[in-house]
Amino acid sequence: MTLLSDHFAGVSAKRLSAVETERHTSNQHEFNGTSAMKRYLGMGRQRFLARFFYLGEDEDDRLVIDDTVTWYDARENHPTRSEYRLYFSDNEVMNRAAAEDVLIASLCRDGALVLLVVSSDSPLLESVLWLFGLPGLPGTGFETIDPSTAKSQSSSIFASIAEEIGLEIENESGDRWLDLLLDRFGLQFPSTRALSALALETLGTTINAIEAPDAALITLMDREEELFRELERKIVSDHLKANAASWSDDVDAFVHFSLSVHNRRKSRAGHALENHLEWTFFQNDLHFNRGAHTEGRSKPDFLFPGKQSYQDPTYPAERLTMLGVKTSCKDRWRQVLNEAKRIDKKHLLTLQPAISEHQTREMEDSGLSLVLPESLHTSYTAEQKSGLLTLNEFLSVVKDRQQWSTK
């Protein structure tokens, strides 16, 4: 688990207004601060290194810019009044911002500011609000939360969302497991299955997939994330040191290496989630196939009770279950709808918090039931929760169908 306070000293958010975004009618380059922001930005004039992010409606509409911002009192010479503002220079991120977009200003532990503009149409908006501990859409004035009072969050999910938006998050675990990792795997990345097995080994009997499957899954994902980041930091650091001189003359080689690091992170998480679910299903004595073909090239992640029953036309379709697995949904949830045609009601397990009501409504209308670890249900509205399943509830559904088939 991770705490927001491990990464940020203060977080404030607001919805942007027309006067703050429409450059053809306004030259405003500052935001009105609040008394709460003074607690973490200070009382005097300060200039901060700042990284501006823009998250648009899709992955092609994103931008990151390094700049500076100034925090100052516009009435510093007034004997009794103060009026703090956050001034920024003209930049492309703020030029893309529109009224009703959300601005999140957060002070990192290293003293730099992050200014994140999230389009009101971005599918990541709700997840970003969750990441920063914000309870919902902010108003038009800055609303501030104290990171020290925010509840702990899954470190693997926190890191996944941060990675998605391009925000670098330090691994706070240090080198706790490095000696074990190097002894087991040396200076190379193991297969995801091998790393998943080590995560399970290091946790031992502290997790229980029968009594508490939801908590066990999150704990396993967090531990594997911790192991992977420690090994990655060591391998990448050594590789950077060994190739720094040659990369100064071969930028393409460096870019290729950088992309390989990024792609490894993305692909590993999905396989890890499937590995830990597979262990959970074995622990609960379920019959299933992982990645079995159904029709043509269709290959659902998990099929219960398995391919043999699915291909038996006399086996009742209502006793079959399929589960798609995606660490985050986006629009990829629609892929699940085309898998296992005999099964009308499909299930999808994800680790994405706070999916929009519009999207969950679409899923429900399409016959797709969303499965999430219990701790993530609090990030959804009361209306959405009625259609969500915990992992434990999903296991009960499969167990009931399995018991019927063995009578």
Side-chain angles (χ1 to χ4, degrees):
M1 304 298 281
T2 190
L3 294 169
L4 192 64
S5 57
D6 292 333
H7 309 287
F8 302 106
V11 175
S12 300
K14 70 186 302 294
R15 273 194 317 229
L16 294 171
S17 64
V19 72
E20 293 168 324
T21 59
E22 295 178 4
R23 295 287 176 260
H24 62 283
T25 60
S26 171
N27 289 318
Q28 182 168 326
H29 287 81
E30 56 189 14
F31 306 110
N32 292 326
T34 65
S35 296
M37 294 173 73
K38 288 191 288 185
R39 288 197 289 270
Y40 66 89
L41 294 180
M43 300 290 287
R45 177 182 290 260
Q46 291 196 60
R47 174 172 284 192
F48 293 92
L49 294 175
R51 174 158 286 187
F52 286 80
F53 292 81
Y54 179 78
L55 297 182
E57 192 171 354
D58 53 52
E59 292 187 7
D60 294 329
D61 190 16
R62 296 188 181 180
L63 188 64
V64 181
I65 291 175
D66 289 319
D67 206 337
T68 61
V69 295
T70 302
W71 173 250
Y72 75 103
D73 183 0
R75 296 182 179 270
E76 58 187 347
N77 295 322
H78 195 282
T80 59
R81 295 182 61 188
S82 65
E83 191 174 299
Y84 278 84
R85 296 175 185 175
L86 192 63
Y87 175 85
F88 61 91
S89 302
D90 194 48
N91 65 62
E92 186 57 31
V93 166
M94 293 310 304
N95 288 341
R96 292 193 189 190
E100 297 303 313
D101 288 352
V102 172
L103 169 68
I104 300 174
S106 53
L107 181 65
C108 301
R109 284 298 178 188
D110 63 4
L113 269 176
V114 167
L115 292 155
L116 176 63
V117 177
V118 189
S119 167
S120 58
D121 296 320
S122 172
L124 290 174
L125 177 56
E126 286 81 7
S127 293
V128 171
L129 294 174
W130 176 89
L131 177 77
F132 286 95
L134 297 162
L137 277 175
T140 55
F142 271 119
E143 299 174 11
T144 298
I145 67 163
D146 180 355
S148 66
T149 64
K151 65 180 182 179
S152 61
Q153 300 165 331
S154 161
S155 54
S156 60
I157 299 173
F158 190 92
S160 175
I161 297 174
E163 176 94 7
E164 178 74 17
I165 65 180
L167 188 63
E168 283 297 321
I169 295 295
E170 289 294 326
N171 179 4
E172 62 268 22
S173 67
D175 294 330
R176 178 185 175 191
W177 303 103
L178 187 57
D179 288 342
L180 173 62
L181 288 161
L182 294 178
D183 181 65
R184 189 71 59 91
F185 306 122
L187 278 173
Q188 60 182 357
F189 289 105
S191 67
T192 308
R193 187 172 285 278
L195 195 61
S196 296
L198 182 59
L200 179 61
E201 178 186 326
T202 60
L203 287 166
T205 59
T206 62
I207 56 173
N208 190 315
I210 299 174
E211 298 292 333
D214 292 82
L217 179 62
I218 290 293
T219 304
L220 278 164
M221 290 297 292
D222 285 355
R223 176 57 55 84
E224 182 159 346
E225 175 74 16
E226 186 180 352
L227 294 170
F228 174 77
R229 292 295 178 133
E230 285 191 25
L231 185 60
E232 180 193 54
R233 186 168 59 248
K234 174 62 176 174
I235 293 175
V236 171
S237 176
D238 286 2
H239 206 67
L240 287 171
K241 292 174 184 175
N243 293 276
S246 62
W247 280 341
S248 64
D249 297 319
D250 190 352
V251 175
D252 287 342
F254 172 74
V255 171
H256 176 75
F257 173 73
S258 178
L259 287 173
S260 70
V261 171
H262 180 69
N263 290 336
R264 183 183 294 108
R265 287 181 178 182
K266 291 177 65 175
S267 63
R268 180 200 61 83
H271 291 304
L273 180 57
E274 290 182 27
N275 290 339
H276 297 312
L277 284 169
E278 182 179 56
W279 173 79
T280 300
F281 299 151
F282 278 130
Q283 290 292 300
N284 282 273
D285 198 28
L286 298 182
H287 301 299
F288 67 94
N289 287 141
R290 178 177 175 180
H293 285 279
T294 49
E295 300 88 7
R297 300 180 66 180
S298 177
K299 192 169 67 171
D301 295 311
F302 292 97
L303 186 64
F304 306 84
K307 183 176 180 179
Q308 183 175 352
S309 298
Y310 185 87
Q311 293 182 337
D312 180 358
T314 66
Y315 193 90
E318 64 270 18
R319 299 296 174 179
L320 299 167
T321 309
M322 70 143 288
L323 179 70
V325 178
K326 297 188 184 298
T327 53
S328 61
C329 288
K330 303 178 187 176
D331 282 335
R332 294 180 300 159
W333 62 269
R334 300 179 192 279
Q335 299 168 0
V336 176
L337 302 178
N338 299 318
E339 299 172 348
K341 294 181 179 178
R342 285 193 66 194
I343 303 173
D344 293 329
K345 188 73 171 179
K346 305 179 193 298
H347 293 83
L348 172 65
L349 185 141
T350 185
L351 300 181
Q352 184 177 342
I355 298 173
S356 70
E357 287 189 345
H358 170 73
Q359 195 171 48
T360 55
R361 196 175 301 116
E362 274 193 288
M363 293 177 184
E364 191 171 345
D365 291 344
S366 300
L368 184 66
S369 292
L370 204 56
V371 183
L372 300 108
E374 187 175 15
S375 60
L376 292 180
H377 283 227
T378 58
S379 67
Y380 289 78
T381 66
E383 181 180 347
Q384 288 175 302
K385 288 177 185 177
S386 64
L388 303 179
L389 292 176
T390 64
L391 176 56
N392 192 42
E393 289 169 338
F394 173 77
L395 293 173
S396 295
V397 169
V398 178
K399 286 176 181 178
D400 286 345
R401 294 175 181 180
Q402 177 175 297
Q403 289 170 357
W404 176 90
S405 64
T406 57
K407 290 180 181 179

